[in-house]
Amino acid sequence: MIQKHQRLLWTLESLVTGRAIREVRDRDVPLAQQLLQYYAVQAHTQEEALAGWEPMGVIGLILPPMFSFLEMMWSICPALAVGCTVVVLVPLASPTPLLLAQLAGELGPFPGILNMISGPASLGSVLASQPGVQKVVFCGAVEEGRALRRTLAGMGPELGLVLGAESLLLLTEMADVDSAVEGVVNAAWSDRSPGGLRLLIQESVWDETMRRLQARMGRLRGGRGLDGAVDMGARGAAAHALAQRYVCEAQSQGAQVFQAGDVPSDSPFFPPTLVSDLPPASPCTQAEVPWPVVVASPFRTAKEALAVANGTPRGGSASVWSERLGQALDLGYRLQMGTVWINAHGLRDAAVPTGGCKESGSSWHGGLDGLYEYLRPPGTPARLPYLSENLNYDIFGLAVPSTLPAGSETGPGPAPPYGLFVGGRFQAPGGRSSRPVQDSHGNLHGYVAEGGAKDIRGAVEAAHQAAPGWVGQSPGTRAALLWALAAALERRESALVSRLERQGVELKAAKAEVELSVRRLRAWGARSQTQGHSLQVAELRGPVLRLREPLGVLAIVCPDEWPLLAFVSLLAPALAYGNTVVLVPSGTCPFPALDVCQDMATLLPVGLVNVVTGDRDHLTRCLALHQDVQALWYFGSAQGSQFVEWASAGNLKPVWVNTGYPRAWDQEAEGAGPELELRAARTKSLWLPMGD
């Protein structure tokens, strides 16, 4: 149907968005057809490739005012392929989605699988609150995504974010400068990209590159989108105002601005713009670059370029330009981006996953990753609202209960309190206080340290210091350490069984929990050697490496139930995929986890695992609001889950919450299934195009 009506489709798209018609005709429409064909095949093969996974149900898609038809197709196609139905909220006066819905309605006897609503973005919260909506995907600006994250906290639907449009281009002294200049044109001054570009140029080729870049800018053609000869169209008053505001702010902060052509001030066209000499400390350095602006900065060494590139809060896409393939691959591997191209920019393929990290969001399109976005593990209940109207975000977790000993003591006195396990050793908490832990009969079992905000900061800092060394370890080394920890757990079996018995666990069940914990560690040790990396070939464009990278510093709040098994089941996949961990153990029975820490002190690198005990709500608040925690898993109360979703909007860290429902940690599907593998790492696509 798209092929039949493609002329109408690309004409409407160019008229509404202002983009050059040749980009829509030659790139967007063919790729949309490729997406439909690819996911049509996946719809037939998913039973084998995705055995056991189930479609989520109703998916809500919220599109920004300046969106392209292709952006919508990246989300709609995989959702429909796995059996979900879609409701799309599109901006007013957007005829292209309505045309697509009309064409879909003519295909067969399945009315309602694709629904379009024209209205303001404020209707997003209304859409998310409708019964049966299981996931909401938002594409748009970072601040709008942050606000939606807070608004939807506790409402039930999972939130997928695809935020920002800025990309990065890193040009080394070994690059083919002419090819790199064309890469800049494709990245920022054609109508392929929805956003601006941050350009890093090595000092030794700075002058030559800037000269050629300015000369190339003078040959760019702007005009009305329906003119087949133009490179750049006009994207409307909102895009024009955004670019103008950024350029004025950059000039006020000391930047030099070069604009090609003589465009009248009242013209709807914004000229291609090159900004340079922007001071490193200026606000515009950290702000997102809008289309069609390029911000150029010099760098001296590769280490400096990586520091600058990874220092921004965004992690969408980037390209590396160098004729030395080894150097280019090393830089591409170390860039904290979701998609990286080598000596090319902006390549897309339906079978290749595309996404971002950090504030660019954590949702993925394309390939099998795009299908997993709309699937859930077998037996997972539908997501229902768990909103607590009386939850006060300002005071949740602030009030820490008294830490004075309480309860009667029977028998011999309890052992001295455990300290906090931070930086590879036990240490006293910052508040110099402890909290009592009672057994199943209400008698005093012992004391644990009362951790607080200061201790969380120390644990996160220790985890960050350990991260580079742990990420650099080979999968075999990680596997050996997990197996060694399993052996240590096995040697400690009698003591751990005794701990669990004091908490009311029957002897047989306690032994089974310890044995299953040992098996889980060994199983994740074996899995860590595969890592999920793969090589695929994009159609006519060369190989693409699909990498599975660690999330970084991962905070985990364990459930009260299954105090040893849940601790191990969450810790093992996190370590297997290269994360460093700050962990809050079971509040009712933290001792098994602390006993295991004695072995970790001698087996694991310093700072790799940090365990902080104390009030669950208070520690959850500290972790959720911490801007250097890069992901958070929470298994506790419904109110705690709601707070975590709300507070994670600060740095848009990916979160996984249980919404107050218990999890069957002794079952393989829930305690060691593929969902844990997906949650413990993120995908990165590294393109290696071939040819001239």
Side-chain angles (χ1 to χ4, degrees):
M1 294 295 285
I2 286 182
Q3 188 172 8
K4 180 179 178 182
H5 297 88
Q6 60 183 342
R7 185 179 297 275
L8 175 59
L9 192 60
W10 73 52
T11 302
L12 272 179
E13 180 75 358
S14 180
L15 275 172
V16 174
T17 65
R19 297 171 61 222
I21 193 170
R22 89 176 166 192
E23 291 292 346
V24 181
R25 180 191 63 209
D26 299 341
R27 182 175 179 269
D28 288 14
V29 172
L31 185 51
Q33 293 175 353
Q34 185 192 14
L35 280 166
L36 288 167
Q37 292 166 358
Y38 173 78
Y39 283 113
V41 173
Q42 295 303 312
H44 289 285
T45 61
Q46 63 177 325
E47 291 185 0
E48 179 181 347
L50 305 168
W53 289 79
E54 302 170 350
M56 281 187 172
V58 180
I59 307 297
L61 174 60
I62 304 173
L63 296 172
M66 295 178 289
F67 78 99
S68 71
F69 153 75
L70 188 59
E71 287 180 69
M72 182 177 62
M73 296 298 291
W74 279 107
S75 297
I76 288 176
C77 293
L80 295 178
V82 298
C84 297
T85 56
V86 183
V87 179
V88 185
L89 178 60
V90 300
L92 296 169
S94 301
T96 312
L98 300 179
L99 172 62
L100 183 68
Q102 179 183 341
L103 297 178
E106 297 174 1
L107 288 177
F110 300 104
I113 61 171
L114 180 60
N115 309 273
M116 300 288 175
I117 302 173
S118 295
S122 57
L123 289 178
S125 58
V126 180
L127 172 61
S129 63
Q130 297 305 304
V133 175
Q134 296 297 296
K135 182 169 184 172
V136 174
V137 179
F138 174 77
C139 306
V142 173
E143 290 307 317
E144 292 175 358
R146 205 187 309 276
L148 189 64
R149 168 74 285 173
R150 294 191 175 105
T151 301
L152 298 189
M155 285 192 174
E158 184 179 330
L159 178 62
L161 295 173
V162 182
L163 304 178
E166 175 190 293
S167 58
L168 180 137
L169 191 148
L170 198 159
L171 194 156
T172 70
E173 61 185 359
M174 301 304 297
D176 179 341
V177 176
D178 286 330
S179 297
V181 167
E182 290 304 313
V184 174
V185 172
N186 289 334
W189 296 322
S190 70
D191 277 339
R192 297 182 184 179
S193 172
L197 178 72
R198 197 168 294 277
L199 175 61
L200 301 180
I201 306 172
Q202 198 153 16
E203 276 187 349
S204 56
V205 292
W206 169 267
D207 292 335
E208 179 66 15
T209 302
M210 293 295 283
R211 183 184 63 79
R212 296 192 192 186
L213 201 54
Q214 291 175 8
R216 181 66 178 87
M217 291 171 67
R219 298 195 298 273
L220 292 171
R221 295 162 296 183
R224 299 191 179 277
L226 289 177
D227 184 349
V230 303
D231 299 303
M232 294 171 53
R235 300 220 183 158
H240 188 287
L242 183 63
Q244 186 63 53
R245 191 182 314 119
Y246 184 91
V247 170
C248 290
E249 290 178 1
Q251 285 179 313
S252 68
Q253 294 164 18
Q256 298 295 318
V257 175
F258 175 83
Q259 291 183 320
D262 185 14
V263 178
S265 59
D266 59 345
S267 171
F269 307 107
F270 197 86
T273 303
L274 179 62
V275 176
S276 59
D277 298 333
L278 193 62
S282 65
C284 281
T285 302
Q286 289 295 312
E288 183 174 0
V289 180
W291 180 92
V293 180
V294 173
V295 176
S297 304
F299 69 90
R300 287 171 292 182
T301 64
K303 183 178 180 180
E304 180 185 348
L306 287 170
V308 173
N310 293 336
T312 65
R314 292 164 296 281
S317 59
S319 61
V320 178
W321 296 77
S322 174
E323 294 296 291
R324 289 173 54 191
L325 185 58
Q327 179 193 46
L329 286 172
D330 180 60
L331 289 170
Y333 185 81
R334 293 161 65 187
L335 281 171
Q336 295 174 10
M337 299 285 173
T339 305
V340 179
W341 301 279
I342 303 298
N343 294 324
H345 198 101
L347 300 180
R348 305 290 290 273
D349 189 279
V352 177
T354 301
C357 60
K358 298 189 285 189
E359 288 189 359
S360 293
S362 53
S363 287
W364 283 81
H365 305 316
L368 288 179
D369 295 79
L371 294 174
Y372 281 121
E373 288 287 322
Y374 306 103
L375 293 169
R376 61 186 176 205
T380 304
R383 293 179 66 97
L384 300 173
Y386 55 97
L387 183 67
S388 175
E389 298 287 352
N390 60 355
L391 176 61
N392 188 331
Y393 296 121
D394 294 330
I395 63 173
F396 176 85
L398 282 181
V400 180
S402 170
T403 56
L404 295 176
S408 59
E409 296 185 25
T410 60
Y418 268 115
L420 306 174
F421 185 69
V422 176
R425 62 186 179 87
F426 287 98
Q427 60 186 46
R432 299 289 175 179
S433 57
S434 59
R435 63 189 292 115
V437 178
Q438 297 177 341
D439 62 19
S440 59
H441 301 291
N443 299 318
L444 186 64
H445 188 176
Y447 298 100
V448 294
E450 183 72 63
K454 180 179 179 181
D455 304 301
I456 290 293
R457 288 194 296 269
V460 173
E461 183 179 350
H464 271 288
Q465 292 175 351
W470 185 241
V471 171
Q473 295 290 339
S474 67
T477 301
R478 293 181 200 162
L481 288 175
L482 287 172
W483 290 332
L485 187 58
L489 209 68
E490 201 168 28
R491 291 192 296 270
R492 199 179 281 274
E493 180 178 0
S494 59
L496 291 171
V497 168
S498 177
R499 289 282 199 191
L500 294 171
E501 281 189 288
R502 286 203 61 179
Q503 292 303 126
V505 182
E506 295 183 359
L507 175 62
K508 183 178 180 181
K511 287 184 176 180
E513 182 170 352
V514 176
E515 291 170 0
L516 185 53
S517 299
V518 172
R519 290 202 300 272
R520 289 271 165 87
L521 282 168
R522 287 175 174 156
W524 281 109
R527 288 194 207 179
S528 70
Q529 298 190 81
T530 61
Q531 293 293 298
H533 300 326
S534 62
L535 177 67
Q536 60 188 99
V537 179
E539 188 175 339
L540 302 178
R541 291 170 183 165
V544 181
L545 293 175
R546 178 186 176 273
L547 306 174
R548 295 288 287 166
E549 293 190 333
L551 302 171
V553 175
L554 171 60
I556 302 174
V557 181
C558 294
D560 284 336
E561 64 273 10
W562 298 98
L564 177 63
L565 182 59
F567 170 82
V568 168
S569 298
L570 291 167
L571 177 65
L575 295 182
Y577 278 93
N579 301 286
T580 55
V581 180
V582 178
L583 193 144
V584 178
S586 166
T588 57
C589 185
F591 294 111
L594 293 170
D595 289 342
V596 175
C597 288
Q598 296 184 54
D599 297 309
M600 290 194 290
T602 58
L603 293 173
L604 301 184
V606 170
L608 177 59
V609 178
N610 306 273
V611 178
V612 182
T613 53
D615 179 70
R616 175 194 297 274
D617 289 347
H618 180 62
L619 297 178
T620 297
R621 180 184 184 87
C622 297
L623 290 168
L625 291 174
H626 202 299
Q627 300 302 294
D628 287 333
V629 171
Q630 292 157 318
L632 174 57
W633 298 350
Y634 177 85
F635 297 88
S637 66
Q639 283 197 340
S641 298
Q642 181 180 334
F643 179 83
V644 164
E645 290 189 332
W646 177 85
S648 68
N651 64 345
L652 290 171
K653 62 174 74 69
V655 297
W656 182 22
V657 298
N658 68 332
T659 69
Y661 291 99
R663 193 175 179 91
W665 296 101
D666 58 327
Q667 301 298 314
E668 189 71 14
E670 296 192 33
E675 185 179 16
L676 283 155
E677 291 186 66
L678 290 175
R679 300 278 188 179
R682 62 168 175 256
T683 300
K684 178 177 183 177
S685 295
L686 185 58
W687 289 71
L688 307 171
M690 298 184 298
D692 295 332

